Amino acid sequence: MNTMATAGGSRAEEAPASLAAPKRKSRSQTRFAYMFLAPALLLVLLVTLIPVAYALALSVLNTDYLNVVGFAGIEQYLKFVTDSLGQQNVIASITYILVSLVLAIPLGMGLATLLNREFRFRTLFRTLLILPWVITLVATGLLWNWLYNPQYGPIDFLLGHAFGVNIDFLGQSTWAMFSMVVANVWQSYPYAMILILAGLQTIPADLLEAASIDGASSWRQFLSVKLPLLQNHLLVVVILLGINYFNQVTLPLILTGGGPLNATYVMSLRVYNEAFSFYHMGFASAIAVVMLFFNLVFTLIYLRVLRRESMY
Amino acid sequence: MFKTRAQRRIIESVAVYVALVVAGAFALFPILWGFSTSLKTTSNALAFPPQWVPQPATIDNYSLVMGSGLPRYFLNSVIVSVLTVLFTVAVAALGGYAAARFNFPGKNPVLLGILSTVMVPGVVILVPLYMIASAVGIINTYLVLILVFTAWQSPAILWLMRGFFESIPRDLEEAAQTDGCTPLGAFVRVILPLAQPGLAAAAILVFVYVWNEFIIALALTTSDDMRVLPVGLYFYVSAFGVQWGQLTAAITVAIVPVIAVFVALQRRFIQGLTSGASKA
């Protein structure tokens, strides 16, 4: 990940050694460089930059299905921030992100710490534990829907057996958000685990040996050596996963559709519904632009942290 | 209580295994429960208390979904993901090589411009993509899916490839160029063969993301015969009411290829995930 930090790194050390024909060489280099970069440039221009500009434009326009019918100014932004559903969307998104992170990061951290030890079947366990990350969110949503089934599902069977309770996990507004978070954490903790494991492996072994000779227990080593060294690394994982949760449409769409009573109606799902259920393209774009703004803010924080991290 | 070091160590390693087995069960249970359901008869799928192991086991659900749209969705997924992998790796390898090796005016702004698009999420450009694709007349085609997925993955993969190319010693292609190779010739004949591990890491990352992507494919396809697997699965729910046996059979068919690819190439997958600015 450190590669990104050096994005704008200078290349002063590569100044041409011979002064004989630097000009001709650099001109042909320029031509080849742009030839090599042309496909990537063209793709991001057509498929990302122009659509972003289009979204910005649509967000200040009134639309009727796919047609522009007038100028709206900031009306649609105001509508989103002032209507009570908009506020519910924001609260649902924040809750979804924070609760997911609070569960996924410690789980990923704990499992990464275990996988960082030497033991038999280590590769086998690592494979099994990463597996949910390669399962499509559609399948994740459908499988958890089936697990949560209040009539035939195994979770309610076990709960009924143990505590004599029956919970409609996705149908009650108090449980729906938490149930959605659990499914989300199931699918995404491996990402945190892999990245943290990579971080743990960069900690010099002699540091831990020194701590061990000084009589520090595993737990003590974790708190006093590993955690401080991993601080920035963890922050990067938190931001990457947080952005991922924020932009997700799939799981809310499949598990709850935003319900019950809008308890799980996150911003990303609102964008999707306004656009493709109600064909409010302008309004959907205004919400999308708000989301883009937050993506920008978190990406900038991410780049800052990366720059700091690459120094230690 | 546990006085000796040896005792402590045994307790500790037992605790580690217990924790890993519990976590492994959590990771596997939803998948196994789905697989178990897919092998049950219609009435046993709804048995309560639940049947953990299907008795009798039947493959009826698989025959039924194979007679539905599923083979077509599977074919669409294969076409879209394989072509996207090829195009993305080609585009990103070329760009990554230029970024790693060449100095040219405008280098930093151009590279940052490409990389900055990594932060634009699918949900933000969904509406414009839908409108532009409709206007241009390429909505509901392989072309639009491959184009959008390639553009979506290329910037992050370009960065990944740049890292790999930078780790290859520079004298190799300088020697080739002295021997009369063009930069393109040196790239294809000398560098690409050496960058194979990097290309493999890039390919599996792209494959997993594209095979699993749902929301863009949902928005940009409009007819049943153009659906990829995740979109097809989503519409199963409404098409069948919910027939859990058939649905879980379809899910199994959809996730087995990606699990197989992951298990076979996991070292490269992990390498790719941890070494580049991957787009989650």
Side-chain angles (χ1 to χ4, degrees):
Chain A
M1 247 190 276
N2 291 332
T3 46
M4 237 177 118
T6 55
S10 74
R11 307 242 131 204
E13 73 278 11
E14 287 160 22
S18 88
L19 293 172
K23 233 184 186 158
R24 222 187 65 212
K25 199 185 165 204
S26 83
R27 203 174 301 147
S28 95
Q29 274 212 350
T30 303
R31 217 187 47 205
F32 273 107
Y34 278 100
M35 236 170 64
F36 280 25
L37 281 164
L41 271 172
L42 198 66
L43 278 170
V44 300
L45 182 72
L46 288 178
V47 182
T48 309
L49 298 178
I50 291 177
V52 165
Y54 201 173
L56 286 168
L58 279 172
S59 72
V60 294
L61 295 170
N62 277 319
T63 56
D64 177 28
Y65 183 54
L66 300 186
N67 305 308
V68 174
V69 293
F71 184 70
I74 59 163
E75 199 181 284
Q76 302 182 112
Y77 290 96
L78 284 178
K79 186 176 158 203
F80 179 70
V81 291
T82 54
D83 88 21
S84 69
L85 184 55
Q87 286 154 16
Q88 278 179 311
N89 299 148
V90 174
I91 292 169
S93 278
I94 294 173
T95 314
Y96 184 54
I97 297 168
L98 289 184
V99 183
S100 296
L101 285 174
V102 162
L103 294 176
I105 298 292
L107 184 60
M109 179 98 201
L111 292 174
T113 311
L114 294 183
L115 287 177
N116 197 33
R117 306 162 68 103
E118 292 290 331
F119 57 92
R120 288 184 64 177
F121 308 119
R122 182 167 168 233
T123 317
L124 174 73
F125 275 111
R126 194 187 61 185
T127 309
L128 289 183
L129 291 172
I130 296 175
L131 212 51
W133 180 247
V134 302
I135 306 293
T136 170
L137 275 168
V138 177
T140 302
L142 295 171
L143 287 172
W144 279 90
N145 210 318
W146 181 218
L147 287 169
Y148 284 140
N149 189 299
Q151 270 174 295
Y152 314 108
I155 298 180
D156 261 312
F157 167 73
L158 294 173
L159 283 180
H161 221 67
F163 307 106
V165 290
N166 183 286
I167 298 169
D168 185 0
F169 286 100
L170 299 171
Q172 287 176 302
S173 48
T174 41
W175 282 102
M177 177 59 85
F178 183 70
S179 310
M180 195 167 90
V181 163
V182 170
N184 186 33
V185 168
W186 176 79
Q187 201 267 345
S188 60
Y189 82 83
Y191 188 63
M193 183 184 82
I194 300 168
L195 293 189
I196 295 170
L197 182 58
L200 284 171
Q201 284 165 349
T202 63
I203 295 179
D206 44 340
L207 270 182
L208 297 173
E209 244 166 65
S212 170
I213 289 166
D214 288 348
S217 64
S218 315
W219 177 242
R220 189 76 224 170
Q221 287 180 32
F222 175 76
L223 279 184
S224 310
V225 184
K226 293 179 186 170
L227 212 52
L229 280 174
L230 280 180
Q231 199 187 340
N232 281 333
H233 201 87
L234 275 175
L235 201 51
V236 165
V237 179
V238 165
I239 296 169
L240 284 176
L241 265 187
I243 291 177
N244 174 7
Y245 296 156
F246 181 53
N247 295 322
Q248 220 184 68
V249 182
T250 310
L251 219 45
L253 178 68
I254 285 180
L255 270 181
T256 61
L261 300 172
N262 300 327
T264 58
Y265 201 2
V266 292
M267 277 176 83
S268 44
L269 182 62
R270 180 86 188 274
V271 173
Y272 180 80
N273 277 343
E274 290 295 340
F276 295 99
S277 306
F278 313 128
Y279 292 98
H280 298 154
M281 297 306 189
F283 186 44
S285 296
I287 307 171
V289 171
V290 175
M291 291 192 66
L292 181 62
F293 173 76
F294 284 110
N295 273 279
L296 180 70
V297 170
F298 284 108
T299 306
L300 289 177
I301 298 174
Y302 166 75
L303 289 174
R304 261 212 126 89
V305 177
L306 272 188
R307 200 156 296 157
R308 219 168 54 190
E309 189 190 28
S310 62
M311 292 199 287
Y312 90 87
Chain B
M1 203 158 86
F2 309 112
K3 294 240 169 66
T4 67
R5 207 161 245 258
Q7 269 176 325
R8 268 228 314 263
R9 193 171 298 161
I10 289 170
I11 300 287
E12 209 175 271
S13 75
V14 169
V16 166
Y17 277 111
V18 169
L20 284 168
V21 168
V22 170
F26 172 67
L28 277 187
F29 184 67
I31 300 171
L32 291 180
W33 174 244
F35 182 59
S36 161
T37 306
S38 74
L39 295 173
K40 289 175 187 170
T41 61
T42 311
S43 57
N44 278 347
L46 300 182
F48 198 85
Q51 232 183 22
W52 302 108
V53 178
Q55 294 238 330
T58 164
I59 58 160
D60 285 356
N61 294 314
Y62 288 89
S63 335
L64 279 168
V65 293
M66 279 308 170
S68 71
L70 194 71
R72 177 68 197 218
Y73 307 150
F74 196 95
L75 177 72
N76 291 343
S77 274
V78 170
I79 291 174
V80 170
S81 28
V82 168
L83 289 178
T84 304
V85 167
L86 290 177
F87 288 135
T88 306
V89 171
V91 166
L94 278 173
Y97 183 70
R101 286 294 199 259
F102 297 144
N103 285 309
F104 52 93
K107 179 171 179 175
N108 285 342
V110 164
L111 290 182
L112 280 178
I114 293 176
L115 190 66
S116 67
T117 63
V118 169
M119 67 159 206
V120 177
V123 63
V124 166
I125 50 172
L126 216 49
V127 170
L129 284 177
Y130 175 78
M131 295 179 76
I132 295 170
S134 302
V136 180
I138 54 169
I139 195 112
N140 202 35
T141 58
Y142 292 132
L143 176 68
V144 74
L145 290 179
I146 293 166
L147 213 59
V148 171
F149 288 154
T150 304
W152 175 50
Q153 290 291 314
S154 287
I157 300 297
L158 190 153
W159 228 253
L160 182 73
M161 293 311 302
R162 172 189 154 135
F164 276 107
F165 290 135
E166 277 174 345
S167 68
I168 297 173
R170 195 177 268 268
D171 354 345
L172 288 170
E173 73 248 61
E174 270 165 15
Q177 285 188 40
T178 321
D179 291 347
C181 267
T182 62
L184 187 65
F187 171 66
V188 172
R189 266 174 249 146
V190 181
I191 297 302
L192 275 190
L194 288 171
Q196 260 173 23
L199 296 173
I204 181 179
L205 269 189
V206 177
F207 177 79
V208 170
Y209 284 125
V210 173
W211 186 268
N212 290 339
E213 203 288 333
F214 168 65
I215 204 75
I216 295 173
L218 175 67
L220 296 182
T221 52
T222 51
S223 70
D224 184 61
D225 63 330
M226 285 306 296
R227 284 175 188 153
V228 289
L229 280 167
V231 181
L233 288 181
Y234 174 66
F235 280 102
Y236 260 106
V237 180
S238 40
F240 286 89
V242 184
Q243 288 285 350
W244 284 107
Q246 290 176 42
L247 183 61
T248 49
I251 290 173
T252 307
V253 172
I255 64 178
V256 160
V258 79
I259 292 177
V261 169
F262 161 68
V263 170
L265 294 168
Q266 59 167 313
R267 250 188 53 219
R268 299 277 170 245
F269 181 72
I270 295 170
Q271 195 182 6
L273 263 191
T274 52
S275 68
S278 82
K279 192 162 178 170

